[in-house]
Amino acid sequence: MEENRFYHSENLELKLVVELGAQTHIHATKVLRLKVGDQFALFNGDGFDYVVKVIEISKHKTSVEIINKYEVNHESPLKITLAQGIAAGDKMDWVIQKTVELGIESIQPLFTERSIVKLDRERADKKLEHWRTVAISACEQTGRAIIPEILSPLTLSQWLSAQQKKNNLKLILTPSKAQNINQLEKPSSSIDFMVGPEGGFSDKEMALALNSAFIPINFGQRILRTETASIVALSIMQNLWGDFA
């Protein structure tokens, strides 16, 4: 794997000459000080890294030629969707960044009764674009060549309705009346995992989840912050059933 790699949103193929995006151009030339003839990697989420060689640098652009490609498989064997109650401030960014590093397949932001963040459609679209950028940056850092899907925010009831016909292992984190995750057998299916916002799920929301066949679980006696819980959950699942073992 090349030491330096960047996301490129457009089509990539061998022998193609492409112009780097503005931010990539600045980082490559001003921060990394790359020169004509230097090589690095681009990826666009199709599962491959594309080795490129710098062929031209000017004040405002960098052009590269794609000289090689190779398949990258840094994906977890666990197919996990995190349904995360939208957290305030930079907590949501933290959750997305770290769970992408830990191998999450997709993230479903949830509007819940106790969510501090209230988003109208315009703000939700801007947040979604930002969250996807956070996920892409995490993929650049970890070497992942497939970008986890960050889904449009839904209400908890909307998302639960869509899960009813799925046979996934369905888990919800709760500090009480729950079994420890270590007691579960290794799943043979995908996993849906729900974590509440700062105030947790309401009693009504918990009842809806349990009626939708979600299994309540915990990690012990201590109550974790929302931004900690998701990261701990992914780490434990990867250690128990995934590629950390």
Side-chain angles (χ1 to χ4, degrees), residues 123-207:
R123 289 188 63 212
D125 289 344
K126 289 181 179 178
K127 278 288 188 183
L128 183 60
E129 182 179 356
H130 171 72
W131 292 333
R132 287 173 174 167
T133 299
V134 172
I136 288 169
S137 295
C139 288
E140 285 183 342
Q141 188 270 321
T142 58
R144 294 183 67 175
I146 296 177
I147 301 165
E149 188 173 13
I150 313 299
L151 300 160
S152 297
L154 295 174
T155 66
L156 182 142
S157 59
Q158 286 174 327
W159 185 71
L160 286 177
S161 295
Q163 306 312 303
Q164 289 182 352
K165 295 181 180 179
K166 295 182 179 180
N167 294 320
N168 297 351
L169 175 63
K170 301 174 181 180
L171 306 175
I172 183 169
L173 181 64
T174 177
S176 59
K177 296 181 180 178
Q179 61 181 309
N180 191 284
I181 192 171
N182 291 297
Q183 298 172 338
L184 298 176
E185 295 183 359
K186 182 177 181 178
S188 58
S189 62
S190 299
I191 302 169
D192 292 329
F193 181 65
M194 294 177 65
V195 175
E198 288 86 348
F201 293 116
S202 69
D203 291 342
K204 177 182 176 182
E205 290 170 333
M206 183 62 67

Side-chain angles (χ1 to χ4, degrees), residues 70-112:
Y70 52 90
E71 189 171 7
V72 176
N73 184 12
H74 292 170
E75 300 308 300
S76 169
L78 299 178
K79 306 304 180 185
I80 304 175
T81 294
L82 168 65
Q84 172 71 49
I86 297 174
D90 61 359
K91 294 176 185 177
M92 197 69 182
D93 289 8
W94 178 262
V95 167
I96 291 170
Q97 181 188 70
K98 299 308 174 186
T99 56
V100 169
E101 290 179 21
L102 291 166
I104 198 75
E105 182 177 55
S106 61
I107 298 174
Q108 174 62 71
L110 294 179
F111 295 117
T112 67

